[in-house]
Amino acid sequence: MKNLNIWDKKFNKTIMEKRIFNIENKFETREDGQEVVVGYGSIFNSRSENLGGFFEYISPTAITEETIEKSDVRALINHDPNLVLARSTAGNLSLSVDEKGLRYEFEIPETSYGKDLSINMKNGNINQSSFAFTVGSDEWSTDEDGYDIRTITSIDKLYDVSPVTYPAY
């Protein structure tokens, strides 16, 4: 296992990081006519794209119900804090952890950008997910091809889950 102390010097571990997953969000319309987005902000054990010299995995131990409970998480479009769709502390963003990853669900709000998101998801223009977080702990290794691998083993805090345009995982 390779120890990459350069990352400890280069990056403060309290910096918010964002990761985007290439998985499909689902757009649903309930029987009552309410439009809902269901997706995963994080997928466990899924290899990222090259993140600038290394690849990354999120461990199934990284996000717990306790992590969710202590975080004030927003659902945003493309991580834009001006485009708030829902919020966990407001009770209109549902978050949970299952064997696949960090699952989220929210009703699309009756806002101009909520309607834009709805149309873009229906048309297939926005169909991937992301999340923003701070790392609690990680481990570094090197794979059989010589690439540096970061495995995030715990996340201190979640900031947002977002339907996004460009994925990293």
Side-chain angles (χ1 to χ4, degrees):
M1 195 143 124
K2 188 175 180 182
N3 186 1
L4 297 178
N5 290 330
I6 187 170
W7 289 101
D8 292 336
K9 294 175 186 171
K10 191 171 182 181
F11 294 104
N12 179 336
K13 291 199 180 234
T14 60
I15 292 176
M16 180 173 54
E17 299 186 33
K18 298 174 184 173
R19 297 296 181 268
I20 302 166
F21 290 86
N22 189 16
I23 64 160
E24 192 170 308
N25 286 321
K26 291 191 297 185
F27 177 87
E28 300 175 356
T29 303
R30 292 186 184 151
E31 288 182 15
D32 64 1
Q34 180 62 51
E35 295 177 331
V36 178
V37 174
V38 179
Y40 281 84
S42 170
I43 299 294
F44 299 137
N45 295 322
S46 177
R47 184 177 174 137
S48 71
E49 298 291 327
N50 189 320
L51 297 175
F54 69 97
F55 295 92
E56 185 175 81
Y57 292 88
I58 307 292
S59 168
T61 63
I63 304 169
T64 64
E65 290 296 332
E66 181 182 341
T67 308
I68 293 170
E69 289 173 15
K70 71 178 181 180
S71 300
D72 183 7
V73 185
R74 280 86 165 165
L76 307 174
I77 300 173
N78 282 319
H79 297 291
D80 186 335
N82 296 303
L83 303 176
V84 180
L85 300 162
R87 188 172 181 176
S88 63
T89 58
N92 52 17
L93 172 61
S94 173
L95 298 165
S96 61
V97 178
D98 62 23
E99 65 284 342
K100 187 173 182 176
L102 174 64
R103 184 182 184 280
Y104 67 87
E105 181 175 340
F106 63 89
E107 294 179 355
I108 295 178
E110 291 291 323
T111 60
S112 58
Y113 54 86
K115 291 175 186 176
D116 290 344
L117 175 66
S118 174
I119 291 166
N120 276 306
M121 289 187 74
K122 287 176 187 174
N123 291 338
N125 298 329
I126 296 177
N127 63 356
Q128 292 142 333
S129 287
S130 178
F131 76 123
F133 60 95
T134 51
V135 174
S137 61
D138 58 7
E139 297 173 352
W140 289 89
S141 60
T142 304
D143 70 11
E144 60 278 353
D145 296 321
Y147 291 109
D148 294 322
I149 303 296
R150 179 188 193 195
T151 301
I152 296 177
T153 55
S154 73
I155 289 176
D156 273 342
K157 187 175 179 183
L158 299 166
Y159 294 94
D160 73 72
V161 291
S162 296
V164 296
T165 307
Y166 296 108
Y169 284 77

